[in-house]
């Protein structure tokens, strides 16, 4: 895989190895790894309509680009980008602008669903009353992505989750004894087949965050770093910092977390199949485990009180 | 050399003979950043000159 340019002009050293690759060899390596994940785990098959959850960030833009590339060599795969507009000035407005440009250029249809239209208020207004909005924001985002996927007729929804995200989720669930949630991880999710819940796929599952950042940078997908102004030092943030620290001291840690998790995942799924029943929310019909879903509960208890 | 750290918007003047040394001086985790030298992405063992223009990008997404 190593060429003359790799030796003279290396752009990145692959994680857990001393192989350094030039830009074009790195593209090949990266794309091969993503396509292999798609094939090995049957993430995308003939005749599917794949939705891609996009934020304008490095991960989802790379996924969108690569799924399009994957589908070009095959017939019968439709792609649509789906974005959520939380209503965060100075952050999401700019990232959605670059997403729109990207979709125009790549000729991919884009749908945007906003908190304001769907729930009555944008996130900037919610924050004024609830200064730590990440939990509401996460529930609303997942809700709109699932509902939007159904309305648009997606067979699956692809997300930009990378190996770092997965390793963090695995450790968080471990630390908090939340195996029910872990059973829903993996390159393709959905424990119980339920037509109300659109399966999620993660084509970047085996690529580290640094590799994705390098890919997006080299492809010119990202022009400026931006950070949500409402982000708080979350539990995830702590686990992330801890894993970065550990990875620097013990290279391979994150890969090993994910690989060992994949070994036990079938057992976890099996175990949860018996317990996991999915109801429909009595107010909106979306899948949930109680009578009323989390999004409807937040609308009643938070949004309507603003 | 001139160093710009994008995430914190900091401009610094740090002497270093390689990318690895620079990151060490700045106390930055090499697995969490990309280093761009004169507009090109480079690896840790890349040599640096005083006239180089360095940009350090965080690989972590914001939110
Ligand atoms: S950081 Fe929190 S508030 Fe900002 S987009 Fe993410 S979940 Fe929403
Ligand atoms: Zn090469
Ligand atoms: Zn509901």
């Amino acid at each position: 895989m190593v060429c003359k340019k790799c030796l003279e002009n290396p752009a990145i050293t692959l994680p857990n190895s001393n192989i350094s690759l030039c830009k074009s060899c790195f593209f090949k390596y990266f794309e091969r790894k993503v396509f292999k994940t798609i094939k090995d785990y049957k993430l995308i098959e003939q005749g599917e309509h794949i939705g891609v959850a996009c934020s304008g960030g490095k991960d989802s833009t790379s996924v969108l680009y690569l799924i399009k590339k994957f589908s070009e060599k095959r017939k019968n795969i439709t792609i649509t980008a789906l974005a959520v507009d939380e209503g965060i000035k100075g952050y999401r407005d700019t990232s959605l602008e670059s997403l729109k440009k990207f979709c125009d250029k790549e000729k991919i249809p884009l749908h945007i669903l906003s908190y304001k239209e769907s729930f009555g208020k944008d996130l900037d207004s919610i924050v004024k009353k609830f200064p730590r909005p990440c939990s509401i924001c996460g529930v609303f985002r997942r809700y709109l992505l699932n509902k939007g996927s159904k309305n648009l007729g997606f067979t699956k929804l692809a997300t930009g989750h990378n190996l770092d995200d997965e390793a963090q989720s695995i450790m968080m669930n471990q630390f908090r004894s939340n195996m029910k949630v872990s059973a829903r991880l993996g390159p393709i999710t959905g424990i119980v087949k339920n037509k109300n819940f659109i399966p999620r796929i993660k084509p970047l599952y085996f690529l580290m965050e640094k590799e994705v950042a390098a890919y997006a940078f080299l492809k010119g997908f990202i022009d400026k770093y931006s950070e949500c102004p409402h982000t708080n030092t979350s539990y995830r943030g702590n686990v992330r910092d801890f894993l970065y620290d550990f990875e620097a001291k013990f290279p391979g840690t994150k890969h090993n977390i994910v690989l060992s998790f994949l070994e036990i995942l079938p057992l976890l799924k099996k175990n949860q199949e018996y317990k996991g029943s999915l109801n429909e929310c009595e107010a909106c019909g979306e899948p949930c485990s109680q009578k009323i879903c989390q999004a409807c509960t937040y609308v009643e208890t938070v949004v309507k009180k603003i | 050399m001139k160093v710009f750290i994008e995430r914190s918007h900091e401009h610094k003047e740090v002497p270093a003979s390689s990318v690895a040394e620079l990151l060490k001086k700045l106390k930055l985790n090499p697995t969490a950043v990309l280093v761009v030298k004169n507009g090109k992405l480079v690896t840790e063992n890349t040599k640096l000159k005083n006239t180089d223009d360095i940009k350090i990008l965080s690989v972590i997404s914001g939110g």
Side-chain angles (χ1 to χ4, degrees):
Chain A
M1 195 202 274
V2 180
C3 76
K4 209 171 137 234
K5 254 179 96 191
C6 290
L7 300 172
E8 287 163 6
N9 257 325
I12 180 168
T13 307
L14 299 183
N16 326 320
S17 81
N18 31 35
I19 301 170
S20 297
L21 299 179
C22 71
K23 180 168 153 174
S24 68
C25 289
F26 176 64
F27 285 162
K28 270 187 221 147
Y29 151 86
F30 191 96
E31 292 172 9
R32 232 180 258 160
K33 215 163 165 181
V34 173
F35 295 161
K36 184 172 172 3
T37 307
I38 294 178
K39 285 180 222 150
D40 286 357
Y41 290 89
K42 296 192 172 63
L43 301 189
I44 300 174
E45 295 179 287
Q46 290 286 342
E48 289 210 74
H49 182 183
I50 303 295
V52 183
C54 291
S55 65
K58 68 178 197 307
D59 304 277
S60 56
T61 306
S62 301
V63 165
L64 185 59
Y65 174 84
L66 287 165
I67 291 183
K68 189 184 172 223
K69 192 161 182 178
F70 181 83
S71 73
E72 274 162 1
K73 288 186 237 143
R74 291 159 182 83
K75 277 176 267 166
N76 262 330
I77 297 169
T78 317
I79 309 168
T80 303
L82 177 59
V84 170
D85 183 2
E86 300 93 343
I88 306 171
K89 264 226 164 60
Y91 172 62
R92 188 61 76 217
D93 44 359
T94 49
S95 71
L96 287 180
E97 245 353 277
S98 49
L99 177 63
K100 275 182 210 156
K101 274 193 208 133
F102 184 83
C103 288
D104 269 356
K105 191 170 143 252
E106 297 290 330
K107 298 194 174 57
I108 301 168
L110 165 68
H111 290 262
I112 301 177
L113 301 171
S114 77
Y115 285 5
K116 181 136 207 232
E117 272 171 44
S118 316
F119 306 111
K121 288 273 186 300
D122 56 28
L123 198 80
D124 283 341
S125 335
I126 297 175
V127 171
K128 287 185 191 134
K129 282 270 160 104
F130 293 84
R132 295 167 75 89
C134 290
S135 51
I136 302 180
C137 188
V139 166
F140 281 178
R141 182 183 304 112
R142 276 193 296 279
Y143 179 93
L144 287 184
L145 288 176
N146 191 56
K147 201 169 171 184
S149 298
K150 280 187 292 183
N151 290 343
L152 293 163
F154 299 164
T155 50
K156 288 186 189 121
L157 180 69
T159 63
H161 290 97
N162 56 46
L163 186 121
D164 285 62
D165 297 321
E166 188 79 354
Q168 287 155 23
S169 300
I170 294 165
M171 293 322 287
M172 283 164 71
N173 294 335
Q174 200 86 24
F175 290 165
R176 299 199 282 201
S177 184
N178 221 344
M179 298 323 273
K180 211 166 70 194
V181 180
S182 269
R184 285 187 237 128
L185 295 174
I188 176 162
T189 62
I191 332 163
V192 209
K193 286 242 177 323
N194 182 319
K195 63 173 180 354
N196 207 4
F197 184 80
I198 304 301
R200 304 281 175 97
I201 56 171
K202 302 172 187 163
L204 302 182
Y205 197 83
F206 293 104
L207 287 143
M208 291 181 81
E209 189 155 38
K210 177 164 177 165
E211 296 175 283
V212 183
Y215 185 79
F217 173 82
L218 293 168
K219 282 279 180 191
F221 292 161
I222 307 299
D223 39 59
K224 234 169 77 211
Y225 179 83
S226 67
E227 197 167 31
C228 176
H230 309 310
T231 180
N232 48 38
T233 331
S234 57
Y235 194 74
R236 180 176 288 275
N238 279 286
V239 173
R240 183 187 66 205
D241 293 348
F242 152 76
L243 285 177
Y244 263 107
D245 216 39
F246 228 71
E247 181 74 34
K249 285 184 197 133
F250 308 103
T253 298
K254 291 174 192 171
H255 271 99
N256 289 338
I257 292 171
V258 170
L259 291 180
S260 53
F261 175 74
L262 282 175
E263 274 185 51
I264 59 162
L265 183 59
L267 297 171
L268 271 183
K269 289 204 184 209
K270 212 168 178 168
N271 192 27
Q272 293 297 335
E273 256 170 33
Y274 305 108
K275 299 183 198 164
S277 72
L278 221 47
N279 301 333
E280 278 173 22
C281 169
E282 286 176 7
C284 73
E286 278 298 288
C288 72
S289 48
Q290 263 91 34
K291 279 189 169 168
I292 302 290
C293 77
Q294 277 272 290
C296 288
T297 310
Y298 275 138
V299 169
E300 286 304 318
T301 58
V302 176
V303 179
K304 287 194 177 163
K305 298 219 163 109
I306 293 170
Chain B
M1 69 205 62
K2 278 204 193 75
V3 182
F4 175 59
I5 305 171
E6 195 190 38
R7 197 176 188 196
S8 52
H9 289 278
E10 282 173 283
H11 290 274
K12 288 191 175 171
E13 185 68 46
V14 191
S17 61
S18 73
V19 170
E21 190 194 329
L22 176 68
L23 295 178
K24 211 170 213 166
K25 282 191 173 167
L26 292 168
K27 295 198 174 61
L28 289 172
N29 182 336
T31 73
V33 295
L34 298 178
V35 178
V36 179
K37 173 182 135 179
N38 307 327
K40 288 221 162 75
L41 186 63
V42 292
T43 57
E44 265 183 79
N45 43 32
T46 304
K47 297 262 172 292
L48 298 178
K49 286 196 301 276
N50 228 343
T51 47
D52 286 331
D53 183 44
I54 304 293
K55 216 159 78 177
I56 298 179
L57 314 177
S58 165
V59 307
I60 297 163
S61 311

